[in-house]
Amino acid sequence: AQKITQTQPGMFVQEKEAVTLDCTYDTSDPSYGLFWYKQPSSGEMIFLIYQGSYDQQNATEGRYSLNFQKARKSANLVISASQLGDSAMYFCAMREGVNGANSKLTFGKGITLSVRP
Amino acid sequence: EAQVTQNPRYLITVTGKKLTVTCSQNMNHEYMSWYRQDPGLGLRQIYYSMNVEVTDKGDVPEGYKVSRKEKRNFPLILESPSPNQTSLYFCASSRLTDTQYFGPGTRLTVL
């Protein structure tokens, strides 16, 4: 079974509107972390936001927020007030274990977001 | 400036010609890792290192080697590259359980 699932096809959003990018995960580990990364066309991986499994509140970083629903095992990224520069591929990733032997990130397949002017 | 650097950024080579992709970080991170990115597959871990002289296989280690002789460096070695190793490669580093920061990527083509 996939550990990180991103099933949305390419997403489109109008500039200045909000958009939600879906991510569901699968783990039996009670301690884990969820990450979102942005990959623009230039190719680099840019860290956006982090949510720990024990965090009581949803993470926020500027225009990014994470809608964390633990019971549903979902960690959707919300981008508010979209900008043209938000057009990119977005990856959801998970790290399992607090002091795991391997801090490996397991990635989803990514979602392409296009912001329309 | 805190960063992860990779070299080269682009490389075209031929089957069987040994190559090394270097990775260096200046943040004194214990953990370093190599990933490859292929269309439709996301990123997959090749090898990782928890500290100097401590390395282990990730999900797709076949055809790759690594070493960690210094904390800041974690080179990826392809002893005999094959076309199926054509990919975008990323090095990442972090403190053991913190956010991983990625290098700019190395686009490798093996003919």
Side-chain angles (χ1 to χ4, degrees):
Chain A
Q2 289 185 26
K3 290 203 170 189
I4 297 287
T5 303
Q6 296 179 265
T7 57
Q8 290 167 305
M11 294 285 289
F12 294 87
V13 65
Q14 204 67 31
E15 193 177 9
K16 299 181 185 177
E17 293 186 349
V19 63
T20 298
L21 306 182
D22 295 342
C23 173
T24 58
Y25 60 92
D26 182 28
T27 181
S28 57
D29 197 320
S31 179
Y32 52 90
L34 296 158
F35 302 80
W36 278 90
Y37 287 84
K38 171 184 177 182
Q39 186 177 43
S41 58
S42 52
E44 69 267 33
M45 294 289 287
I46 302 167
F47 165 71
L48 295 178
I49 196 167
Y50 165 78
Q51 179 84 44
S53 60
Y54 294 119
D55 293 345
Q56 294 298 312
Q57 294 189 325
N58 287 345
T60 61
E61 289 285 348
R63 295 187 298 111
Y64 304 108
S65 61
L66 205 152
N67 183 0
F68 181 45
Q69 299 189 44
K70 197 169 182 177
R72 294 185 176 184
K73 293 188 175 179
S74 74
N76 299 339
L77 177 69
V78 181
I79 305 174
S80 63
S82 297
Q83 302 172 355
L84 296 178
D86 293 334
S87 295
M89 179 83 83
Y90 289 80
F91 289 94
C92 180
M94 176 173 65
R95 185 197 69 230
E96 295 169 273
V98 174
N99 295 307
N102 177 11
S103 291
K104 177 180 73 173
L105 289 174
T106 301
F107 284 84
K109 296 183 179 180
I111 302 169
T112 300
L113 175 66
S114 299
V115 180
R116 292 170 168 154
Chain B
E1 179 190 355
Q3 60 182 352
V4 180
T5 57
Q6 293 179 229
N7 281 292
R9 295 289 313 279
Y10 303 90
L11 180 60
I12 300 174
T13 189
V14 295
T15 298
K17 186 176 181 182
K18 180 179 179 179
L19 66 93
T20 299
V21 184
T22 65
C23 172
S24 184
Q25 50 93 5
N26 62 0
M27 297 169 279
N28 202 35
H29 286 162
E30 297 87 4
Y31 183 86
M32 297 185 75
S33 180
W34 278 101
Y35 297 87
R36 62 177 287 174
Q37 181 181 11
D38 302 291
L41 295 178
L43 280 77
R44 295 175 293 168
Q45 189 184 52
I46 303 170
Y47 268 95
Y48 68 96
S49 170
M50 302 290 284
N51 215 323
V52 176
E53 302 291 1
V54 181
T55 64
D56 208 345
K57 297 177 180 178
D59 294 324
V60 288
E62 293 77 22
Y64 305 95
K65 287 175 59 177
V66 293
S67 68
R68 187 93 182 269
K69 296 177 182 175
E70 304 166 282
K71 198 171 187 178
R72 64 182 293 130
N73 296 324
F74 190 46
L76 179 69
I77 304 156
L78 285 72
E79 295 269 2
S80 182
S82 62
N84 64 11
Q85 293 178 298
T86 293
S87 188
L88 178 59
Y89 291 86
F90 288 100
C91 180
S93 77
S94 70
R95 300 213 178 275
L96 283 178
T97 56
D98 281 355
T99 298
Q100 290 185 26
Y101 293 93
F102 284 75
T106 295
R107 194 167 292 278
L108 172 66
T109 301
V110 183
L111 302 175

